[in-house]
Amino acid sequence: MKLYGYWRSSAAYRVRIALNLKQLPAEQVSVHLVNNGGEQHSDAFHQLNPQHLVPALVDSEDGAEFSLTQSLAIIEYLDEKYPQPSVLPEQIKDKAIVRAMAQSIACEIHPLDNLRVLQYLVKEMGVDENQKMAWYHHWIHLGFSALESQLVQYSGRYCFGDNVTLADICLIPQIYNAKRFNVALDKYPNISRIWDNCHQLSAFINAAPEQQADAS
Amino acid sequence: MKLYGYWRSSAAYRVRIALNLKQLPAEQVSVHLVNNGGEQHSDAFHQLNPQHLVPALVDSEDGAEFSLTQSLAIIEYLDEKYPQPSVLPEQIKDKAIVRAMAQSIACEIHPLDNLRVLQYLVKEMGVDENQKMAWYHHWIHLGFSALESQLVQYSGRYCFGDNVTLADICLIPQIYNAKRFNVALDKYPNISRIWDNCHQLSAFINAAPEQQADAS
């Protein structure tokens, strides 16, 4: 398998964690999101993902290569193809709760605070640095406040009980991103605790942006 | 089951389609997203979803009620609990492609163009009507252009072959929303065709916003 990603992309970071948890080897191919106007817009990458977003996972079946997009779809693909250790609980209801936590990050926080959106605000709308940071902080606090109260109900050592799930896989890259933008996390004791607990695990440590070959 | 939704919410609309496809009865409870400062912010609704977003699905197990959030997690829950007819293909790879199409709408278009974000742009950032519409159109065209090229590869009568899937369930509400904001769809022949084909089915027709009791 080949994972097309970028060291600082939260979505690629999620897939790296999942690959590490399952101890699956994948060649890492760097798609630089800033240099050359963004390599994700190249013709070559367009063939892999017409959305011009990382990650894309290239895998093969009966000798034919194919490309998969969207980090959560890629992770569920890996989870179905290589079920051990699973990143979803067994019970249908529990699975829904974990997927919902993951989506509360992937659908409500990350899309608003990622690079292309911040670039649009600055370049197309002419917002200043303060407004940009207020925007970033607004959506992360809204999302983390809601998640924190769900964690009071459901968390154990990790977001859902004592096993690592898709929710942790989404949460850690989002916290990493928040720290980069100087978001104070003291209001979120469960989120902070889960950050610490996940960083006891090599799967998370080795997936961190600074550990990647394309980190600069 | 009780579905807490709102007639114009794209995410609630997705769940209504899934319930209809599976012919599952659910009491519809309206949460008015505009009146009274937004009923999704009430204490009562906070108990069901601390994210203050619709939909929330209340179901029960062994007599105990519980609430599920996030439309895609709810739909996969319904699909696992009531597998016929399934809204996902059988093969792992195909499933990943369908989930990715659904997420390309749910994670890349809808979060940027939904009500609370448009409200933030106007109220907090002071953007004018033209800038707001340019923002809306920008993200929908970006997302639909990418999806259109995936549909060239994968679509049949619907987004993925000839069976209705999660991808159609996400696409139809997003098209409905785009039409409301006067987005021209002529550049997207496959998206337009799938709109027409889905509207041959009562599951989609009956889930439309104007068909809901709280439509105004």
Side-chain angles (χ1 to χ4, degrees):
Chain A
M1 293 189 288
K2 279 186 209 170
L3 177 66
Y4 289 76
Y6 179 61
W7 64 292
R8 257 185 179 162
S9 154
S10 301
Y13 187 176
R14 295 174 195 154
V15 179
R16 292 196 300 262
I17 298 168
L19 288 166
N20 290 351
L21 284 166
K22 292 176 177 292
Q23 300 189 290
L24 297 170
E27 182 190 338
Q28 305 282 329
V29 185
S30 176
V31 181
H32 203 293
L33 299 189
V34 182
N35 287 354
N36 309 314
E39 294 175 358
Q40 72 276 24
H41 302 303
S42 71
D43 289 345
F45 191 71
H46 181 88
Q47 301 304 314
L48 298 178
N49 186 3
Q51 297 164 60
H52 299 185
L53 295 169
V54 292
L57 182 81
V58 172
D59 197 1
S60 58
E61 208 172 60
D62 307 324
E65 284 200 336
F66 57 89
S67 169
L68 299 176
T69 64
Q70 288 292 330
S71 61
L72 297 191
I74 291 171
I75 294 168
E76 293 230 17
Y77 169 83
L78 294 172
D79 205 48
E80 289 172 2
K81 197 162 173 188
Y82 308 99
Q84 295 308 326
S86 179
V87 297
L88 287 170
E90 261 183 49
Q91 298 299 316
I92 290 178
K93 174 190 158 192
D94 296 346
K95 225 184 280 190
I97 293 165
V98 166
R99 284 192 179 121
M101 284 184 188
Q103 289 165 20
S104 78
I105 297 164
C107 302
E108 313 299 346
I109 304 176
H110 178 68
L112 294 158
D113 282 348
N114 71 4
L115 182 64
R116 65 177 192 165
V117 172
L118 300 180
Q119 283 176 336
Y120 186 96
L121 288 173
V122 173
K123 289 187 192 161
E124 306 296 328
M125 282 186 163
V127 313
D128 63 26
E129 190 63 20
N130 285 342
Q131 282 180 306
K132 186 183 96 173
M133 289 306 282
W135 165 278
Y136 184 96
H137 282 235
H138 175 76
W139 300 114
I140 201 128
H141 282 301
L142 207 59
F144 275 9
S145 302
L147 185 62
E148 181 68 21
S149 45
Q150 290 181 304
L151 293 176
V152 169
Q153 188 175 0
Y154 297 115
S155 72
R157 185 163 172 81
Y158 304 108
C159 286
F160 189 84
D162 293 326
N163 292 315
V164 171
T165 64
L166 187 60
D168 306 290
I169 290 174
C170 288
L171 178 58
I172 297 307
Q174 191 63 66
I175 300 176
Y176 169 89
N177 202 271
K179 286 174 179 274
R180 213 183 124 206
F181 283 84
N182 300 313
V183 175
L185 296 173
D186 3 337
K187 285 190 291 179
Y188 313 116
N190 285 288
I191 287 176
S192 303
R193 183 175 55 78
I194 290 164
W195 168 269
D196 292 339
N197 291 341
C198 287
H199 281 91
Q200 303 291 315
L201 305 174
S202 60
F204 285 85
I205 296 168
N206 296 335
E210 282 71 21
Q211 304 302 317
Q212 308 313 306
D214 60 342
S216 59
Chain B
M1 292 189 289
K2 279 186 208 169
L3 178 65
Y4 289 76
Y6 179 62
W7 63 294
R8 258 186 179 161
S9 153
S10 299
Y13 187 176
R14 293 174 196 154
V15 180
R16 291 198 299 264
I17 297 168
L19 288 166
N20 290 350
L21 284 168
K22 293 176 178 292
Q23 300 187 290
L24 297 170
E27 184 191 335
Q28 306 281 329
V29 185
S30 177
V31 180
H32 202 294
L33 298 189
V34 182
N35 287 354
N36 309 315
E39 294 174 359
Q40 71 277 21
H41 302 301
S42 72
D43 290 345
F45 191 71
H46 181 88
Q47 300 305 313
L48 297 178
N49 187 3
Q51 298 164 59
H52 300 186
L53 294 170
V54 293
L57 183 81
V58 172
D59 198 2
S60 59
E61 208 173 60
D62 306 326
E65 283 201 337
F66 57 89
S67 168
L68 298 176
T69 63
Q70 289 293 330
S71 62
L72 297 192
I74 292 171
I75 294 168
E76 294 230 16
Y77 169 82
L78 294 172
D79 205 48
E80 288 172 4
K81 197 162 172 186
Y82 308 98
Q84 296 305 326
S86 178
V87 296
L88 287 170
E90 264 183 47
Q91 299 298 316
I92 290 178
K93 175 189 158 191
D94 295 346
K95 226 183 279 189
I97 293 165
V98 166
R99 283 191 179 122
M101 284 184 188
Q103 290 165 18
S104 77
I105 296 164
C107 302
E108 313 299 345
I109 303 175
H110 177 68
L112 294 158
D113 282 348
N114 71 5
L115 182 65
R116 65 178 192 164
V117 172
L118 301 179
Q119 282 176 337
Y120 185 96
L121 288 173
V122 173
K123 289 186 194 163
E124 306 297 328
M125 281 187 165
V127 313
D128 63 26
E129 189 62 21
N130 284 343
Q131 283 179 306
K132 186 183 97 173
M133 290 305 282
W135 164 280
Y136 184 96
H137 282 234
H138 175 77
W139 301 113
I140 200 128
H141 282 302
L142 208 58
F144 275 9
S145 301
L147 185 63
E148 181 68 22
S149 46
Q150 291 181 303
L151 293 176
V152 169
Q153 189 176 357
Y154 296 116
S155 72
R157 186 163 171 81
Y158 304 108
C159 286
F160 189 85
D162 293 324
N163 293 315
V164 171
T165 64
L166 188 60
D168 305 291
I169 290 174
C170 287
L171 179 58
I172 297 307
Q174 192 63 66
I175 301 175
Y176 170 89
N177 202 272
K179 285 174 180 273
R180 214 184 123 205
F181 283 84
N182 300 314
V183 175
L185 297 173
D186 1 338
K187 283 190 292 179
Y188 312 116
N190 285 288
I191 288 176
S192 303
R193 182 174 55 79
I194 291 164
W195 168 268
D196 292 339
N197 291 342
C198 286
H199 281 90
Q200 302 291 314
L201 305 174
S202 60
F204 285 85
I205 296 168
N206 296 336
E210 281 70 22
Q211 303 303 315
Q212 308 315 305
D214 60 342
S216 60

